[in-house]
Amino acid sequence: MTKRSGTFDPTQPRVDASELQRITSRGLNRRELLGVLVAGGMSLAAAEAMLSSTPALGQTPKKGGRIKVAGSSISPNDTVDPARQSFSTDYSRCTMFYNGLTALDGQLVPQPELAESFTHQKATVWVFKLRKGVTFHDGSELTADDVVYSLNRHKDPKVASRANALAKQMKDIKATGKHEVTITLEAPNADLPVILGTWHFLIIKNGTTEFKTANGTGPYKVKEFTPGVRTIGVRNPNYFKPGKPYVDEIELIGISDETARVNALVSGDVHLIAGINPRSIRQIKATPGYSVFETKAGYYTDLVMRQDADPTRNADFCTAIKYLFNREEIRTAVFRGYAVIGNDQPIDPSNRYYNKDLPQRPFDPDKAKFHFQKSGVGSTPVELYASPAAPGSVEMGVLLQEAAKKIGLNIDVKQVPAAGYWSNYWMKKPLGFGAINPRPSADVLLTLFFKSEARWNESAWKNERCDKLILEARAEADEGKRKQLYGEVQSIIKDHCGIGIPVFITLLDAHADKLKGLKPIPVGGFMGNAFAEHVWLEA
């Protein structure tokens, strides 16, 4: 039986930057961080210096104050039902009021949350031991029955859970003690703790059917919830994490227009905003007292070359297009430096399974010309669909068009409106752009977008070897072996799939400088939408 308790191993001889990011994302205070660093082989003086030189880590959180936060969406359908969340503002709202069995850290490694530990047998039978003494906002104790109810609810068609497809793999969910839950899967999945650390699987009280308010275990209690208007949370004095949260009250609103969000920030109306465009950075940085918060993650706009249509089904045509990506120019000119070079496969460098040994595909017009001539497509215009709905796609399409002219390829860029793009053009035209949000694990990303039968298999690509490797990696509990399997998957996708990924786009939020405690969690902005319990106001 394999155990994951999420504790740091003090026998390790040193603490590197990635390990520091992982342990700090668990919300340890300064004294605890010093203890971990010293146990990892640092002198006390070196540990003090590291914390003092690292933003937020060397500062002591302060309690008190009120903050106002603006997400990028707002709707009369806003919800505090974890199962029915749809937008990032929903995720931020629900993580104010609830907790999951696990939580994802800065490396997207699942750490214990409501569960104090989790064990498994061959990644199929999982046992979660719950923390004792955790209470809901109404004062009732968290027990296994609450967890069983919360998870089973996702499988009920009447609930219309957004996580139904993920929950179906849980064949049996039962309480095996007052504070113990056993989950048996249909097939092995070493990623179950990752899945349970995502927003939809937050735990609600047994029997809850109405969501006019929220009764969770989270850091804040509902003071007001008015869908389409605002949400106000007040500090939960009985929160199970000692010392947290720090802010007395959080007001969460939604501002759909990016320019309006930026103006609300720099005018002092809000302390934190989501989803800014790189073009707004100059305005924010030019305003004293405001900064940009970056999260490097697996967010990408990809070129989709359908394998069930001409000319994009032609392997040489696809290869030619990939060699025409001037990735550095896209990074700097389109995204103003707020992007990381991609390599035509979807696992980004922030992911612990990223294959850093995969040779980088360069911008090479000569190789592009060779493959284009070999494809036999000729000078017939090829339509390329782009839209503001896929960030940067219009600009990337124009750059690709100019590069293609030099090898005799005639690309006709069709710019279409954002409204209706996903229903009318995405996955319906031979050549066009998609946009994929970060996913919590390699398995979820690959299963949704790259398995042969996947609903969102954008390029209609089918590869039996890749399908087999994805299933093997899902069942493999050994991290080293799993990384090898995912490494081969990345190589196959890079060389054979009809998807081009020139860069991974950095997620950008912005905040008042007096708001402290933000650290990147690469499943989304706002610390993976879990900022509420981590931030504080500097006096």
Side-chain angles (χ1 to χ4, degrees), residues 260-283:
R261 282 199 305 279
V262 172
N263 289 337
L265 177 73
V266 298
S267 66
D269 291 340
V270 298
H271 298 84
L272 173 66
I273 61 171
I276 68 169
N277 189 294
R279 67 173 178 263
S280 299
I281 290 175
R282 179 177 297 179
Q283 177 186 358

Side-chain angles (χ1 to χ4, degrees), residues 110-125:
Q111 301 296 336
E113 187 85 343
L114 292 178
E116 65 180 8
S117 68
F118 41 93
T119 60
H120 68 83
Q121 294 178 344
K122 297 182 178 180
T124 303
V125 179

Side-chain angles (χ1 to χ4, degrees), residues 21 24-28 33 54-62 67 244 246-247 272 293 511-521 526-528 530-538:
Q21 183 182 25
T24 55
S25 66
R26 292 159 49 196
L28 304 183
L33 286 170
T54 304
L57 300 186
Q59 301 166 353
T60 300
K62 296 176 176 61
I67 64 172
K244 288 190 171 184
Y246 305 117
V247 177
L272 173 66
F293 173 60
H511 63 96
D513 287 344
K514 63 182 179 180
L515 184 72
K516 305 295 184 181
L518 291 168
K519 297 183 289 288
I521 297 179
F526 277 11
M527 294 187 67
F531 71 92
E533 72 172 50
H534 299 284
V535 298
W536 72 89
L537 279 173
E538 190 177 58

Side-chain angles (χ1 to χ4, degrees), residues 452-512:
S452 296
E453 75 281 6
R455 177 183 176 186
W456 294 322
N457 179 359
E458 294 179 288
S459 68
W461 176 68
K462 300 182 187 299
N463 187 291
E464 291 184 7
R465 175 62 179 165
C466 190
D467 290 344
K468 182 173 182 292
L469 288 167
I470 291 171
L471 292 176
E472 288 180 6
R474 179 186 301 166
E476 180 57 67
D478 181 279
E479 285 290 294
K481 294 178 181 177
R482 206 169 190 218
K483 188 168 186 177
Q484 289 179 349
L485 293 170
Y486 282 135
E488 185 178 345
V489 169
Q490 291 167 66
S491 178
I492 292 172
I493 290 174
K494 175 199 170 190
D495 291 337
H496 302 291
C497 184
I499 293 292
I501 303 174
V503 298
F504 293 98
I505 306 167
T506 300
L507 300 171
L508 300 172
D509 303 321
H511 63 96

